[in-house]
Amino acid sequence: MHTFIRILASDLNIFISTGSKTREYKKVLAEEIEAQSLNYNIIEDISRSSEINAVIYADDSDISDFSVFPDDTVIFSIFAGVEKTLLNKTIQQPLVRLIDVEMTECMAEWCTAHVLRYHLDLDEFIKPEKKEWKAHDKERLLANQIDIGILGLGTLGSATAEKLKKLDFKVTGWSATEKKITGVRSLIGAEGLTRILSTSDYLILLLPLTEKTKTIINSDTLKIVKTGAILINAGRGGLIEDNDLLKALDSGKLSGCTLDVFNEEPLPPEHPFWSHDKVTVTPHISAPTRLKSSIQSILANISRIKEGLQPIGLVEKKRSY
């Protein structure tokens, strides 16, 4: 159980270390403190670390040793995924990952857009190989005839499921624990994974990267996947075994995929994903951190702590999220 004793004080000292964006974050934080009439201070001198109650942090920052901060300093990540942050074993303080309404909406929109892109065969018509008038003879399936499986029904997965359900797609989710989302079937466990893989026309990956989810898409699970399915990964690159995915695409087991996250980022120019005709690569843009809304979310979380509530997104380090 975490304690947040010092953050309950009337004064609050916040340190920002967000790499190349530190200056921008300081500016927006100062504006929000003034706009909300908050009695908070922005500390710029790391030598005053013993006075710091909260750190707004990004993995590419200059801080590597968190032992300089008191044990009850709260570390607020500006990212939704914290698997890289957790590699730093000096972080013994409470860690809170970013859960932000605007970021969540970004992810839901991005995933929905790519489902619709495939569903409507937009690529074929937007960038045809030849400039010729060519229409499909077959009738296109309607949304209510399409099964979509979402691996991961956390904040981002649930929002994506709800948006796709509003468009009348048949949506099923798989997660560590059962979720209750109106109109969305929730599956758990090994049996649930087999079911969602074998019945989904589209598979959307929105899982956190943990020991249990690492390379969850591999040669064994791809054998279970419905032939001709389309894969969309906006979760983490480590969820996929790259070579196994390429083999599934080449064999026709998968008919296409869109990848926004990769085992190595930036994706090396020589990687076969760039040139494969069934792969769409986007440069980790599905749900980028939004400056103002992320600061507002962090400040709202600080308010929750001051009210004696647990912050939203408090990381269970053993689970990696």
Side-chain angles (χ1 to χ4, degrees):
M1 182 69 180
H2 290 290
T3 56
F4 304 95
I5 297 171
R6 291 188 316 123
I7 213 168
L8 295 171
S10 56
D11 286 340
L12 190 78
N13 296 323
I14 303 175
F15 184 79
I16 300 179
S17 187
T18 54
S20 60
K21 293 188 176 181
T22 295
R23 181 177 294 180
E24 295 173 75
Y25 268 92
K26 284 179 182 176
K27 179 177 181 294
V28 173
L29 178 60
E31 291 170 352
E32 281 299 314
I33 288 172
E34 182 177 359
Q36 297 183 35
S37 301
L38 299 170
N39 192 24
Y40 299 167
N41 308 303
I42 298 175
I43 302 294
E44 301 199 31
D45 186 354
I46 190 67
S47 68
R48 295 175 60 189
S49 58
S50 62
E51 304 171 38
I52 293 169
N53 311 92
V55 177
I56 298 175
Y57 172 73
D59 294 324
D60 64 343
S61 80
D62 297 331
I63 301 178
S64 58
D65 184 7
F66 282 79
S67 65
V68 300
F69 299 108
D71 291 343
D72 56 356
T73 298
V74 184
I75 314 300
F76 291 95
S77 172
I78 63 167
F79 301 129
V82 291
E83 69 280 351
K84 185 177 178 182
T85 305
L86 289 172
L87 294 175
N88 187 333
K89 299 308 178 184
T90 70
I91 299 180
Q92 298 299 312
Q93 297 87 348
L95 173 65
V96 181
R97 63 189 180 90
L98 182 64
I99 295 180
D100 174 56
V101 172
E102 289 193 10
M103 175 188 280
T104 301
E105 184 65 11
C106 273
M107 179 62 82
E109 288 181 356
W110 187 90
C111 291
T112 301
H114 284 285
V115 168
L116 288 172
R117 173 184 145 232
Y118 286 112
H119 178 57
L120 300 173
D121 289 323
L122 293 182
D123 286 7
E124 181 174 344
F125 298 111
I126 291 173
K127 290 188 174 181
E129 291 183 8
K130 298 179 181 178
K131 295 185 182 299
E132 60 181 0
W133 190 273
K134 182 181 177 183
H136 288 305
D137 292 330
K138 66 178 182 179
E139 292 182 351
R140 172 171 52 83
L141 293 174
L142 298 177
N144 61 17
Q145 298 169 306
I146 300 291
D147 286 291
I148 294 180
I150 300 175
L151 302 192
L153 279 181
T155 302
L156 301 177
S158 295
T160 301
E162 289 172 348
K163 193 170 286 290
L164 287 163
K165 187 60 189 174
K166 287 178 181 176
L167 293 172
D168 215 20
F169 287 101
K170 294 186 288 184
V171 183
T172 300
W174 180 82
S175 51
T177 57
E178 191 173 350
K179 302 294 193 299
K180 295 189 182 300
I181 305 171
T182 302
V184 176
R185 181 171 54 176
S186 177
L187 302 176
I188 59 172
E191 185 179 332
L193 180 60
T194 297
R195 188 171 180 180
I196 198 169
L197 292 177
S198 62
T199 60
S200 298
D201 299 300
Y202 294 83
L203 280 170
I204 301 175
L205 307 187
L206 287 171
L207 289 162
L209 185 60
T210 69
E211 285 303 313
K212 292 183 178 180
T213 65
K214 188 176 181 181
T215 61
I216 194 169
I217 300 300
N218 55 53
S219 58
D220 291 329
T221 53
L222 283 164
K223 291 174 185 174
I224 305 169
V225 168
K226 184 175 182 179
T227 299
I230 288 170
L231 181 74
I232 296 171
N233 186 15
R236 284 291 180 262
L239 299 173
I240 293 175
E241 173 53 59
D242 290 359
N243 289 330
D244 292 346
L245 175 61
L246 287 164
K247 289 176 184 176
L249 290 164
D250 289 338
S251 70
K253 183 65 173 178
L254 292 175
S255 63
C257 72
T258 290
L259 307 173
D260 186 57
V261 286
F262 305 90
N263 281 293
E264 183 181 354
E265 294 184 8
L267 187 67
E270 66 275 11
H271 198 288
F273 283 156
W274 284 114
S275 56
H276 202 289
D277 61 357
K278 292 183 180 179
V279 178
T280 298
V281 169
T282 62
H284 206 143
I285 57 168
S286 54
T289 300
R290 296 164 73 86
L291 191 60
K292 185 171 182 177
S293 64
S294 64
I295 286 291
Q296 290 172 337
S297 295
I298 291 169
L299 289 175
N301 249 342
I302 290 173
S303 295
R304 284 181 61 85
I305 295 172
K306 283 181 166 292
E307 292 167 8
L309 302 172
Q310 183 171 287
I312 297 170
L314 181 64
V315 174
E316 294 182 43
K317 293 177 183 176
K318 289 182 179 179
R319 297 176 69 188
S320 300
Y321 65 94

